[in-house]
Amino acid sequence: MSADRPSVAGVETAEAFASHRRATLADLASVFLYIGVAGFGGGMAIVAMIEDICVRRRRWMSPEEFAHGVAFGQFLGAFAVNTTTFVGYRMAGIAGAVTAVTAFLTPGVALVILLTALYARYSSVPAMQTALHGIGPVVVAVLVSAAYRMGRSSLESARRSSEAAQGGTDGFAGTYWILPAIVGVAAFALLFFWHVPVIVILTGVAVVGTIRHLAEKRRRVGAMDS
Amino acid sequence: MGRLIFGAGAASLIDLAWVFLKIGFVFFGGGFLLIPVLHHEVVIYRGWLTQTQFVDGVAISQLTPGPVAILATVCGFFRGGVTGAVIATICVFLPAFVLMVTLTRIYERARQMDGVRRVMDGFLPAIVGLLIASAFDIGKTTILTPWHGLIGVVALVGLVRFNVSPALLILMGAIAGALIGR
């Protein structure tokens, strides 16, 4: 299915993704209807599912671009819906965004209305609890597999950019993985142990990235002068 | 019951739309923030739902797929039936939707700049960390027995090695969960 796409060490390059851009409105509707039905767990669990379908299976965008969209979505709050909006808009503009979000919300809204109507009538929530206990671990697995893939892409893109910057001969080429590893572990620890708001974590990442970029730029200019 | 299906009058639907639009605006800052904000507005301040109805509404919205914010649908239903539920849902998501579209448009221009792109690429490892944190959070409350641990491992192998679709695994997880019982 994907044999025609160029890849580096099993991870597709950004260029390979770019050539496969553009999904039709019908694609968006069917994919997000599916995610709306299967999207248990809320928030990041749904983001992980969108990654599984739109990035890994359909290759609508690169992992990097997807991460940009997720990060922006987090700045605004309702992240799963914002990621849906981002993917829909990038694929097919405003119509794509409206289609994706409507398709995504429809199954959940319909089910909630049905359950609430039953509840209003019988004053009890239908017994779905034990079945849901089995869904939880699957949601965890979806999260872990998305983290695994995005982690691999992250290391791959760090390796490529360090090779591009240093011509692949520099002695520091072997240390490309340190910064992404620190960022990943720090983001995990800040959120999980100290409950630091996501918006603060991502702002921190942007600040660190900016400082690093400016420092590199200065070094390059300095190297040119001497 | 008739009122639950056909909803309240037009005036109170406009009122409902306004309240949820307002909530949609303060919604920025995280999905679960919506719960206390909604509680204050529709239970304490306006009395559209009783305390019990609200708590059960939270349970219903967690039982179903889709974002946590679908709680707004439940609240809208109690106020204005199916029409109220649909209006509440649209209004609570509208502000974030408009902002996200605006942000995406800016993004499309900004990503052409090399420096901006390189700064943004730092988000990728951070998102990995956030995904793992979320996996731990959900795992803490759902992987309570070795059987549930086994479901998780089987699902992970299915996803990574055999490319099984997440929806199929979720269905199988639900069946396995029902078989295991509590």
Side-chain angles (χ1 to χ4, degrees):
Chain A
M1 186 179 128
S2 61
D4 55 326
R5 280 154 207 171
S7 70
V8 176
V11 179
E12 279 79 0
T13 59
E15 295 71 44
F17 282 96
S19 64
H20 287 270
R21 174 118 326 131
R22 285 297 181 219
T24 64
L25 292 182
D27 290 337
L28 287 168
S30 69
V31 160
F32 280 100
L33 211 55
Y34 171 91
I35 294 169
V37 170
F40 285 89
M44 271 299 179
I46 296 172
V47 167
M49 206 163 284
I50 299 175
E51 189 274 343
D52 189 279
I53 313 278
C54 300
V55 179
R56 176 207 191 186
R57 288 169 205 267
R58 303 245 170 175
R59 294 185 166 78
W60 284 347
M61 53 179 63
S62 69
E64 285 87 355
E65 183 177 354
F66 183 72
H68 302 162
V70 174
F72 290 142
Q74 302 263 342
F75 280 121
L76 294 187
F79 15 84
V81 181
N82 291 342
T83 307
T84 306
T85 309
F86 178 81
V87 173
Y89 191 89
R90 292 288 294 141
M91 292 299 114
I94 275 283
V98 172
T99 305
V101 170
T102 308
F104 172 58
L105 289 177
T106 300
V109 167
L111 191 57
V112 157
I113 289 178
L114 183 73
L115 291 179
T116 312
L118 287 175
Y119 169 82
R121 184 112 194 215
Y122 302 108
S123 291
S124 72
V125 182
M128 282 171 68
Q129 288 290 0
T130 51
L132 281 159
H133 282 302
I135 288 179
V138 179
V139 170
V140 172
V142 171
L143 281 161
V144 171
S145 73
Y148 167 73
R149 279 192 300 275
M150 290 181 80
R152 267 184 58 179
S153 308
S154 170
L155 293 180
E156 185 60 30
S157 92
R159 192 179 63 80
R160 274 202 308 272
S161 69
S162 103
E163 278 181 4
Q166 302 169 341
T169 52
D170 193 287
F172 289 109
T175 60
Y176 66 88
W177 55 273
I178 292 176
L179 190 67
I182 291 174
V183 171
V185 170
F188 165 77
L190 288 173
L191 186 66
F192 187 71
F193 294 112
W194 294 290
H195 305 285
V196 175
V198 169
I199 190 164
V200 174
I201 297 175
L202 290 175
T203 307
V205 170
V207 169
V208 170
T210 309
I211 291 171
R212 180 164 169 257
H213 178 69
L214 292 178
E216 266 176 17
K217 212 164 151 189
R218 174 171 294 181
R219 208 166 56 209
R220 244 175 291 152
V221 172
M224 260 182 252
D225 285 348
S226 60
Chain B
M1 195 62 201
R3 198 179 147 266
L4 279 176
I5 300 299
F6 297 111
S12 60
L13 285 181
I14 292 170
D15 191 35
L16 180 99
W18 172 239
V19 166
F20 281 95
L21 213 53
K22 241 174 30 188
I23 293 171
F25 267 111
V26 294
F27 187 17
F28 317 130
F32 282 93
L33 183 75
L34 188 72
I35 296 176
V37 171
L38 263 179
H39 181 255
H40 180 83
E41 188 72 28
V42 304
V43 179
I44 298 174
Y45 186 61
R46 292 182 188 260
W48 288 350
L49 279 79
T50 65
Q51 178 71 24
T52 322
Q53 283 174 332
F54 187 81
V55 172
D56 290 334
V58 173
I60 291 173
S61 67
Q62 310 256 11
L63 278 178
T64 52
V68 184
I70 269 184
L71 178 57
T73 314
V74 179
C75 298
F77 186 92
F78 278 109
R79 176 62 178 162
V82 175
T83 324
V86 172
I87 290 176
T89 313
I90 294 172
C91 291
V92 90
F93 287 113
L94 197 59
F97 179 81
V98 172
L99 261 167
M100 191 64 198
V101 165
T102 313
L103 216 54
T104 309
R105 295 175 76 118
I106 295 169
Y107 166 78
E108 289 184 332
R109 244 164 291 154
R111 75 195 297 268
Q112 311 297 330
M113 291 179 266
D114 185 52
V116 176
R117 183 110 153 245
R118 299 210 46 199
V119 170
M120 287 193 305
D121 279 346
F123 287 141
L124 186 53
I127 301 294
V128 173
L130 302 184
L131 284 165
I132 296 287
S134 189
F136 270 74
D137 269 328
I138 297 177
K140 223 167 44 180
T141 55
T142 56
I143 303 185
L144 301 171
T145 68
W147 290 111
H148 292 102
L150 185 67
I151 295 176
V153 171
V154 169
L156 188 59
V157 172
L159 281 167
V160 175
R161 284 256 66 118
F162 300 105
N163 225 16
V164 184
S165 84
L168 182 63
L169 288 169
I170 284 194
L171 183 66
M172 284 159 60
I175 294 170
L179 291 177
I180 294 168
R182 262 251 55 151

